[in-house]
Amino acid sequence: MASTTTASLDPLSRSSRPEGSELDDLYTIPIRSSWFSWGEIHETERVALREFFDLSSISRTPKIYKEYRDFIINKYREDPLRRLTFTEVRKSLVGDVSLLHKVFLFLEKWGLINFGAASPGAVVGEEEVKRKVDFEEAVPNGIRVVAVPNSGRPLSAPATSMSNNSARSQECSAIPPLASFSDVFRDAMKHRASACRSCSGMCNSGCYESTKEEGFIICANCFKDENFGESRSKDEFKSSDSQGVSVSSGSEWTEAETLLLLESVLSHRDDWELVAQNVETKSKLDCILKLIELPFGDSMVDSFYRTGKSKGRDGEVKKGEQLQAPEDESTETVKSDDQCVQTEITNNMQNGYSGDQEPPLKRKRVDSLQSCDSSLMKQAALISAMAGPDIAAAAAEAAVSAICNETSCPRELFDYKELFMGGAACALAIDIKPEISAVGDSSKNNELQAEDQDLPACKPIIPLQMRAATATTLGAAAAHAKLLADQEEREIEHLVATIIGAQMEKMQFKMKDVEDLEVIMEKEYEEIEQMKENITSERVDVLERAINGGISRWKDHPSLKY
Amino acid sequence: MKLLPSSSVRAPVKFKIPTKDNLVPIRLDIEIDGQRFKDAFTWNPADPDSEVVVFAKRTVKDLKLPPAFITQIAQTIQSQLTDFRSYEGQDMYAGEKIVPIKLDLRVNHTLIKDQFLWDMNNFESDPEEFARTFCRDMDIQDPEVGPAVAFAIREQLYEIAIQSVTSARESRLSKKGRRGFDYSPAIKSGGISLDLVKYFGHKSTVIRKRKDWDVFEPIVDILSSEEVGALEAREERSAR
């Protein structure tokens, strides 16, 4: 039966087979098998199925191979859609079944049979019998991620730098975000809000601690619902803000609230009390923090404190003057000194936030130049101030607790409420209190003497406080460095994404080129086929003429031999 | 273009099962105190003999048989292995020999009847692969059928190999090396192998006649439990 084969890449592109027509049946085979032809045995076959061609046995000859092959392929083509099994053919062929199997596999591998047939369910089933792999997707439940070990204090990760690069972030969003500082520590923040004992939910809004029993905390909702647990009454509970001010900022800001905040900030400038009043549901601190987190917010804050900054500069000048003054000056000088430091720190904090966008290194360098002539402690104060109040406070806490653990001195030594320099009623001062006091106290002995001796034992423990201060500094600096590192990481991500995009484009161009080449090749191939046909027909012509001409013993005639 | 079967004559090779893996088929059929244990598996003769006892112990433990079976099993395996080894040193005629293999076995609920040709000379043949293809093509779900088929093939090959060894010995004695090993002994020995000239010669075709197709087609039947019971009873009766 005459049939033609078309080579194609895609097994699914088969031309329609008109019913009942024997000629012009088209079967698709893969392009790599286009060497195949009915009339011949190709080199590929000779190599792969050597046994038939090495004349080693009477049962294995090319003729026999050809019979096997043709039979199998024809058998398949009787119904190209069904998958031909080996068992079907081996019953019809005489010969060693192992050898037949080899031929069968060879044909199947080259797509000459079973090319378009459905894959066998059994094979698929075997492949699917894999063990399911369990993925651990998140941090295991037993592990809790906290910012600094032993501090327990949550960090409010500055989301500013992320959101500020709005153009960049659009491209970065194409790749799955790597776990970043904010991701990790957001969880820590949430965890820190302790679980309510009675309803075992999170005490986000506020918790109430039982006076009678240590550590029995219930959330505000439970308190309202009077869901106290067994044998407890309302009086037992006093409200305690969940530790640290920043946890309350974990609550969500809705669009309306944000809008209100912005409006009130614009109108009231830096009067946070009024702003907080306008945005009813959020406290003063929340407003400030949220504003800073907004993309343009910190520039507003910055502008508010620009006036304050000049004050700070004055303060610095003052400080410089005072350096020449002997160390054991009067308390007032000391006080004002600390005030300057405090203001400086405040300013640096604000600037530090806004400086997140620009490379903060610049700022740091500037500051360190200034501070190279100031005392070590002042340097420490500046550095830790730059890292942000929360980080500094966390570092202070960590340092303090570490030292406490080491020397087993009570924490009260570090608790200097009374020594807090009044100064401006800056809300943020609450956060920097531990740090300032540590710095302030460690630098001046006189101060301690001047004050009421709440803590008579402080003199001998100055070294401890110094250690605390230095530890604070280092901790703060380290945290700051981490922030920088994260920024770098994000940049890297972005660049990598760009590179990958460029590579992909390159590849695609190449592929297109290759496809074009293939088209050309196909055309050439057709031409060659055409020429081949021509030659064959010419040959037939010659033969005809030769026969007609009556050549004797044409069998042996050289021009007619194969 | 004429073809000469130039090297159909082969030098004798050392005895081994003519498959890719030299595995010995071992059959067990032991009865102690009314308990009958039947099994059939392949053993690798390259394993040390100490493994036999270990295997016997494990089998008894897994199947919870009485311990008396251990020695029996070990003995049977050992004796079959020794038989195999006794042939190992000798020559086997390994000419062109295509033999028919018949399958007629029942595994749990599956009954198989089949017939096909196998080349004794093909040392790369793999009964296990054949069994795998067979089960896949016939869509057999029972996983015990494959190994049983492979075992049956091996067993038959083993017997034919043994025959060829003895025949080689005989022909050596009788011919006294005059004509050496040539084609005719193969036909004479057992008479089971195919006449290659008839089937593969120039004038014939390797494609079977259609009427023969059914003979060589595998028949796989799934039996119901009662039929299985009936067959088993019949087998036992015939075994006694």
Side-chain angles (χ1 to χ4, degrees):
Chain A
M1 115 176 120
S3 65
T4 51
T5 56
T6 61
S8 102
L9 284 168
D10 180 10
L12 297 175
S13 70
R14 58 174 85 252
S15 25
S16 60
R17 196 170 153 203
E19 293 297 327
S21 77
E22 287 187 20
L23 302 174
D24 295 330
D25 287 328
L26 291 176
Y27 301 94
T28 50
I29 60 172
I31 275 193
R32 62 179 192 269
S33 305
S34 38
W35 46 261
F36 171 72
S37 109
W38 283 107
E40 305 161 353
I41 298 174
H42 190 263
E43 195 58 35
T44 321
E45 303 168 278
R46 284 176 195 272
V47 165
L49 297 162
R50 232 175 261 281
E51 301 95 336
F52 288 100
F53 303 100
D54 55 8
L55 303 180
S56 56
S57 140
I58 195 172
S59 70
R60 296 197 283 267
T61 65
K63 166 175 171 282
I64 288 172
Y65 164 69
K66 192 164 177 308
E67 282 192 18
Y68 287 158
R69 178 193 80 179
D70 295 346
F71 179 83
I72 295 177
I73 297 184
N74 282 327
K75 190 92 182 136
Y76 167 65
R77 290 183 178 184
E78 281 172 16
D79 185 4
L81 291 173
R82 67 97 170 81
R83 185 176 190 82
L84 183 69
T85 59
F86 171 62
T87 313
E88 276 183 63
V89 291
R90 62 118 160 132
K91 73 181 183 206
S92 327
L93 293 171
V94 176
D96 176 31
V97 286
S98 309
L99 194 61
L100 280 173
H101 196 45
K102 206 168 167 194
V103 174
F104 186 83
L105 288 175
F106 170 77
L107 293 174
E108 195 169 26
K109 174 185 138 197
W110 282 95
L112 293 164
I113 58 176
N114 289 338
F115 187 47
S119 47
V123 172
V124 173
E126 281 163 17
E127 288 169 0
E128 277 172 0
V129 178
K130 294 180 224 164
R131 278 181 215 103
K132 286 201 187 286
V133 181
D134 288 324
F135 291 102
E136 284 294 322
E137 279 187 352
V139 175
N141 290 332
I143 296 179
R144 199 182 81 183
V145 183
V146 291
V148 178
N150 296 329
S151 80
R153 190 181 167 78
L155 298 188
S156 61
T160 39
S161 41
M162 194 72 129
S163 46
N164 246 349
N165 306 328
S166 47
R168 282 191 198 173
S169 62
Q170 279 162 15
E171 295 180 53
C172 279
S173 61
I175 47 169
L178 300 173
S180 68
F181 191 87
S182 45
D183 291 338
V184 165
F185 291 107
R186 202 174 295 135
D187 284 332
M189 264 169 49
K190 292 214 179 91
H191 267 281
R192 197 58 197 82
S194 37
C196 162
R197 286 293 183 93
S198 48
C199 71
S200 62
M202 287 287 145
C203 299
N204 275 329
S205 35
C207 53
Y208 288 81
E209 193 167 343
S210 164
T211 45
K212 282 203 187 155
E213 190 176 309
E214 275 294 318
F216 192 82
I217 301 173
I218 59 171
C219 63
N221 293 336
C222 289
F223 189 72
K224 262 186 282 174
D225 300 338
E226 310 206 347
N227 191 5
F228 301 133
E230 307 127 22
S231 65
R232 288 177 224 288
S233 63
K234 196 170 189 169
D235 315 320
E236 277 183 12
F237 288 92
K238 68 170 169 61
S239 83
S240 63
D241 243 332
S242 26
Q243 180 150 18
V245 194
S246 42
V247 174
S248 51
S249 64
S251 45
E252 301 302 320
W253 276 78
T254 66
E255 299 267 358
E257 288 172 340
T258 322
L259 205 57
L260 272 177
L261 170 69
L262 289 173
E263 283 175 8
S264 34
V265 160
L266 281 172
S267 51
H268 299 300
R269 298 253 93 191
D270 57 344
D271 194 345
W272 296 108
E273 296 281 312
L274 287 174
V275 171
Q277 275 172 22
N278 267 349
V279 185
E280 288 104 42
T281 51
K282 296 285 184 289
S283 75
K284 205 164 37 174
L285 194 58
D286 278 336
C287 299
I288 298 171
L289 285 175
K290 176 67 182 172
L291 190 64
I292 294 171
E293 278 172 19
L294 289 175
F296 45 83
D298 42 285
S299 62
M300 293 167 104
V301 174
D302 198 17
S303 63
F304 297 158
Y305 281 93
R306 230 163 261 293
T307 44
K309 205 176 173 185
S310 53
K311 275 193 222 148
R313 291 240 174 78
D314 293 338
E316 275 174 37
V317 168
K318 245 205 262 174
K319 182 172 62 172
E321 285 170 7
Q322 274 154 14
L323 272 179
Q324 280 123 32
E327 283 233 326
D328 45 2
E329 258 201 296
S330 63
T331 328
E332 279 152 8
T333 327
V334 167
K335 278 195 183 150
S336 56
D337 195 16
D338 281 315
Q339 207 170 19
C340 302
V341 172
Q342 175 203 321
T343 337
E344 169 84 40
I345 287 166
T346 322
N347 295 334
N348 281 334
M349 251 168 355
Q350 306 304 332
N351 293 337
Y353 268 119
S354 61
D356 262 357
Q357 283 68 35
E358 315 144 19
L361 294 167
K362 230 197 320 185
R363 199 159 279 284
K364 188 160 183 152
R365 240 180 286 131
V366 168
D367 275 328
S368 54
L369 273 179
Q370 288 176 347
S371 58
C372 64
D373 52 348
S374 46
S375 76
L376 192 62
M377 285 309 142
K378 291 206 182 68
Q379 282 187 45
L382 286 171
I383 293 175
S384 43
M386 270 169 30
D390 294 315
I391 299 173
E397 284 274 353
V400 160
S401 43
I403 291 189
C404 281
N405 288 342
E406 254 186 47
T407 56
S408 55
C409 60
R411 281 185 84 106
E412 285 78 40
L413 294 172
F414 294 97
D415 194 9
Y416 291 112
K417 280 201 180 70
E418 276 74 37
L419 301 174
F420 171 61
M421 309 303 160
C426 180
L428 295 160
I430 300 171
D431 297 314
I432 58 175
K433 167 214 14 143
E435 175 233 310
I436 289 181
S437 43
V439 167
D441 285 307
S442 54
S443 55
K444 297 290 177 268
N445 293 349
N446 311 340
E447 201 169 278
L448 298 173
Q449 285 165 4
E451 288 295 328
D452 254 346
Q453 295 300 336
D454 301 34
L455 309 136
C458 31
K459 231 192 193 174
I461 41 164
I462 293 302
L464 277 179
Q465 287 144 15
M466 287 181 69
R467 283 175 69 188
T470 42
T472 309
T473 321
L474 294 174
H480 199 54
K482 169 97 171 93
L483 295 177
L484 292 178
D486 282 318
Q487 196 178 24
E488 287 299 308
E489 193 188 352
R490 281 189 280 276
E491 288 223 24
I492 290 174
E493 275 179 34
H494 165 61
L495 288 173
V496 166
T498 332
I499 289 175
I500 291 178
Q503 292 280 36
M504 290 280 293
E505 280 196 34
K506 230 169 67 173
M507 294 285 293
Q508 274 167 6
F509 280 128
K510 280 195 190 165
M511 277 179 55
K512 194 160 175 308
D513 282 340
V514 167
E515 278 173 20
D516 288 339
L517 274 177
E518 274 198 27
V519 169
I520 296 176
M521 287 276 296
E522 277 197 44
K523 289 205 183 112
E524 286 199 22
Y525 179 73
E526 280 172 23
E527 282 179 36
I528 290 180
E529 289 283 312
Q530 188 66 33
M531 278 179 47
K532 202 169 159 192
E533 278 187 35
N534 290 346
I535 292 179
T536 320
S537 60
E538 275 186 42
R539 213 155 164 215
V540 167
D541 256 342
V542 167
L543 276 176
E544 266 189 46
R545 294 211 196 123
I547 292 171
N548 292 342
I551 299 181
S552 62
R553 289 175 54 92
W554 61 276
K555 235 197 248 182
D556 296 327
H557 204 276
S559 68
L560 300 171
K561 264 238 167 82
Y562 246 85
Chain B
M1 292 199 293
K2 291 266 169 89
L3 254 189
L4 291 169
S6 49
S7 49
S8 59
V9 177
R10 288 280 166 82
V13 297
K14 290 295 165 209
F15 176 84
K16 68 181 270 251
I17 304 276
T19 57
K20 200 161 70 174
D21 312 307
N22 189 20
L23 301 171
V24 184
I26 307 257
R27 201 177 263 283
L28 296 176
D29 189 358
I30 305 173
E31 183 159 359
I32 298 181
D33 296 336
Q35 254 190 321
R36 194 141 184 240
F37 172 57
K38 280 185 81 164
D39 199 3
F41 49 87
T42 47
W43 187 268
N44 187 349
D47 282 344
D49 283 349
S50 52
E51 290 292 316
V52 177
V53 180
V54 173
F55 173 82
K57 284 200 183 126
R58 175 144 293 271
T59 312
V60 165
K61 183 169 146 214
D62 289 343
L63 298 175
K64 297 189 181 48
L65 300 169
F69 272 88
I70 300 183
T71 36
Q72 279 275 36
I73 292 175
Q75 266 177 16
T76 326
I77 299 178
Q78 198 65 267
S79 61
Q80 292 187 47
L81 273 179
T82 327
D83 278 342
F84 174 79
R85 296 229 169 85
S86 68
Y87 289 110
E88 242 179 342
Q90 302 176 31
D91 296 333
M92 172 172 86
Y93 177 71
E96 186 72 45
K97 194 145 93 162
I98 300 197
V99 297
I101 304 268
K102 292 196 175 64
L103 292 180
D104 185 4
L105 49 115
R106 182 185 65 79
V107 180
N108 297 339
H109 289 261
T110 318
L111 189 72
I112 297 182
K113 272 190 185 332
D114 196 3
Q115 191 184 55
F116 46 86
L117 299 168
W118 197 277
D119 182 4
M120 281 297 289
N121 200 32
N122 186 359
F123 285 86
E124 295 302 311
S125 59
D126 194 358
E128 275 76 26
E129 193 191 336
F130 178 83
R132 262 200 306 271
T133 320
F134 182 84
C135 291
R136 203 172 60 216
D137 289 346
M138 305 306 291
D139 210 8
I140 293 175
Q141 306 294 337
D142 191 350
E144 291 186 29
V145 172
V149 166
F151 178 84
I153 297 172
R154 266 192 203 278
E155 217 180 9
Q156 295 183 44
L157 290 177
Y158 182 40
E159 284 179 20
I160 298 171
I162 293 178
Q163 281 181 19
S164 81
V165 168
T166 49
S167 74
R169 221 185 304 144
E170 284 169 15
S171 57
R172 204 167 359 129
L173 295 172
S174 64
K175 302 276 183 209
K176 290 188 188 148
R178 225 191 311 151
R179 264 198 291 161
F181 295 95
D182 64 353
Y183 206 57
S184 29
I187 303 180
K188 283 200 190 129
S189 68
I192 44 173
S193 59
L194 285 185
D195 185 354
L196 295 178
V197 179
K198 181 169 142 209
Y199 281 95
F200 296 104
H202 226 352
K203 302 225 171 74
S204 59
T205 172
V206 277
I207 303 179
R208 247 179 225 136
K209 303 196 183 66
R210 266 186 200 257
K211 61 181 163 81
D212 287 338
W213 284 12
D214 293 331
V215 178
F216 288 90
E217 187 170 6
I219 301 172
V220 176
D221 274 333
I222 312 285
L223 307 171
S224 67
S225 311
E226 306 106 19
E227 289 168 327
V228 170
L231 273 175
E232 273 183 355
R234 221 179 303 149
E235 277 166 21
E236 286 202 15
R237 254 180 277 129
S238 59
R240 302 280 163 80

